[in-house]
Amino acid sequence: MRILMVAPQPFFRPRGTPFSVLHRIRALLKLGHEIDLVTYPFGDSPELPGLTIIRTARPPGIRDVRIGPSIAKIGLDVPLFVKADRLARAGGYDLLHTHEEAGVFGAWLARSVGIPHVYDMHSSLPQQFSNFGRFNWPPVVASFRAAERYTLAGADGVIVICPDLLEHVQSLAYPGPVELIENTLDFDPPHNLSARVQAIRERFSLAGRAVIVYTGTLETYQGLDLLVSAASEVIQRVPNAVFLVVGGTPDQIGALHEAARARSVDGAFAFVGSVPPTDVFAYLEVADVLVTTRARGTNTPLKIYQYLRAGKPIVATAIRSHTQALDSTSADLVPPEPAGIAEGLIRTLTDQAHARNLASGARRLADTRYSERVYMERLERLIANVMTSPLVAAVS
């Protein structure tokens, strides 16, 4: 089957949705399909047999695009949709597969050219404005709420990436097939993992240290300010503690480093910046504790599945983003405030039995609930349902 996929992201970049798009592509290729991917003019181009990447031209004045809603995305989405429209009308595609806001355009295009449409729902469009704190004005949110309903009405099948989104789609009375396919796929660990781990230990002088690792973006909703605020109490109770923060842009790192310096804890932090995806394995391996301090949101961060597979104790804030994937056997769930985060880290670093129980619980959850087999079965089932019984009823 030949699939036209539309992804309004810089592809590939080592961050949430592009990771999800990449692994969805890898899974579809493994199922024997061919994919033409229409995407932004930014990002790396992974070479995968069966994948053709088609990039749109870069609009004048737009050099890149940041995570979340932005004016730049509008300038990038227009040529993206024009390119996808031309390709779809040229024919030869069996399925249209859209990600995020491309689903709005896809709902119209699929009906226009007469091919089935799968909407890959990585988040609720109106909720993004609250999460990122941009353009969070009632008229804008209302318009995107209407756009989301229109997208679902024009989708022959829907993929959601977390239980909260599944409940959201069900609450809108979507009548078609919907599959919960969490972002559980990952790259293979590098062959020289041991050497990379040793290099990190030497680079950051980790011998004899209690190593706390965070990986992911440094957007404000990730709550890294809470981690910085919690650090002084952690250091008082565990003087050899060190925080490795992996990810983020130079500006974000600079702001966090300044916040750490203002609290006189900058000596306990190492801000690593973004690293290649395969390097993340080594940073997870050096950790004594993995931490995620997300302060708001309902989508499960991709890092959670990596953390679970690492088989290390996890400290996570007890918000919907985390609790829909984690429980008390797989993570120390703490209030999303500095004192709670500090207490959870101290407890996990000083109570070896507690840490061992969390680590074994994490590994068990990864093996039973978040396996590659489950991912592939659900994806194959959705595609089969869409191709055999396209949606004919519209969402009211």
Side-chain angles (χ1 to χ4, degrees):
M1 185 168 67
R2 192 172 177 216
I3 300 172
L4 177 61
M5 183 177 287
V6 187
Q9 289 94 31
F11 183 87
F12 170 71
R13 289 277 176 79
R15 65 195 204 197
T17 302
F19 269 123
S20 184
V21 172
L22 176 60
H23 293 309
R24 195 82 78 232
I25 289 170
R26 292 175 62 216
L28 288 167
L29 295 175
K30 189 173 182 178
L31 291 173
H33 307 301
E34 295 181 356
I35 300 171
D36 286 355
L37 173 68
V38 185
T39 191
Y40 285 172
F42 315 114
D44 299 326
S45 298
E47 294 184 6
L48 297 171
L51 171 66
T52 300
I53 298 177
I54 302 165
R55 298 192 183 277
T56 57
R58 181 175 64 84
I62 300 179
R63 298 181 180 276
D64 208 340
V65 61
R66 61 179 175 171
I67 298 173
S70 66
I71 298 299
K73 291 210 77 176
I74 298 174
L76 289 162
D77 282 348
V78 171
L80 184 82
F81 297 161
V82 169
K83 175 70 76 173
D85 182 88
R86 289 175 180 170
L87 288 168
R89 293 183 188 284
Y93 295 104
D94 303 293
L95 178 70
L96 176 65
H97 187 141
T98 63
H99 297 268
E100 291 196 316
E101 74 266 17
V104 182
F105 167 75
W108 170 82
L109 178 62
R111 297 296 176 257
S112 178
V113 301
I115 59 175
H117 173 216
V118 168
Y119 174 43
D120 217 321
M121 190 176 189
H122 302 270
S123 63
S124 170
L125 294 177
Q127 190 184 74
Q128 285 194 27
F129 298 102
S130 173
N131 288 347
F132 288 93
R134 303 175 202 152
F135 313 110
N136 193 23
W137 308 317
V140 174
V141 174
S143 67
F144 273 82
R145 189 173 292 116
E148 184 173 80
R149 288 181 175 273
Y150 176 80
T151 300
L152 292 172
D156 298 291
V158 175
I159 297 172
V160 294
I161 55 91
C162 66
D164 187 80
L165 281 177
L166 177 61
E167 293 169 9
H168 178 64
V169 170
Q170 291 171 337
S171 75
L172 296 175
Y174 175 69
V178 55
E179 286 286 351
L180 170 62
I181 306 177
E182 290 155 299
N183 289 319
T184 57
L185 294 191
D186 204 350
F187 299 94
D188 294 327
H191 296 299
N192 60 342
L193 179 59
S194 295
R196 296 191 187 196
V197 169
Q198 184 59 32
I200 292 171
R201 292 189 184 282
E202 293 175 357
R203 176 185 172 188
F204 297 105
S205 302
L206 299 181
R209 307 296 297 272
V211 184
I212 302 162
V213 172
Y214 168 88
T215 68
T217 69
L218 304 186
E219 298 295 322
T220 54
Y221 63 85
Q222 299 283 16
L224 272 298
D225 57 322
L226 302 176
L227 185 64
V228 170
S229 297
S232 57
E233 185 175 350
V234 174
I235 295 166
Q236 286 180 5
R237 301 273 296 277
V238 187
N240 64 335
V242 59
F243 298 80
L244 296 188
V245 177
V246 183
T249 67
D251 287 346
Q252 292 169 334
I253 291 170
L256 279 175
H257 189 268
E258 185 57 38
R261 182 160 40 210
R263 292 182 172 273
S264 302
V265 294
D266 51 307
F269 276 85
F271 295 100
V272 179
S274 295
V275 301
T278 52
D279 282 0
V280 173
F281 288 97
Y283 283 97
L284 298 178
E285 185 64 25
V286 302
D288 294 301
V289 178
L290 297 169
V291 66
T292 174
T293 54
R294 186 171 287 210
R296 62 180 183 272
T298 56
N299 285 2
T300 302
L302 185 146
K303 70 171 69 70
I304 291 300
Y305 309 110
Q306 294 178 313
Y307 282 13
L308 289 170
R309 283 191 297 273
K312 297 294 183 79
I314 300 168
V315 172
T317 46
I319 66 170
R320 179 67 166 158
S321 283
H322 295 144
T323 57
Q324 65 189 331
L326 302 171
D327 58 25
S328 59
T329 69
S330 57
D332 194 320
L333 298 169
V334 299
E337 41 87 15
I341 294 167
E343 200 57 40
L345 289 171
I346 293 165
R347 181 167 48 245
T348 307
L349 288 171
T350 58
D351 186 337
Q352 293 184 4
H354 177 62
R356 284 195 300 270
N357 288 338
L358 292 179
S360 62
R363 173 59 70 184
R364 184 167 55 251
L365 187 59
D367 291 342
T368 57
R369 181 173 166 185
Y370 301 122
S371 67
E372 179 178 346
R373 177 187 58 80
V374 171
Y375 184 109
M376 296 298 294
E377 285 177 353
R378 292 180 180 181
L379 180 59
E380 187 171 25
R381 181 170 59 210
L382 177 80
I383 297 299
N385 286 339
V386 167
M387 298 309 294
T388 56
S389 301
L391 179 66
V392 294
V395 175
S396 60

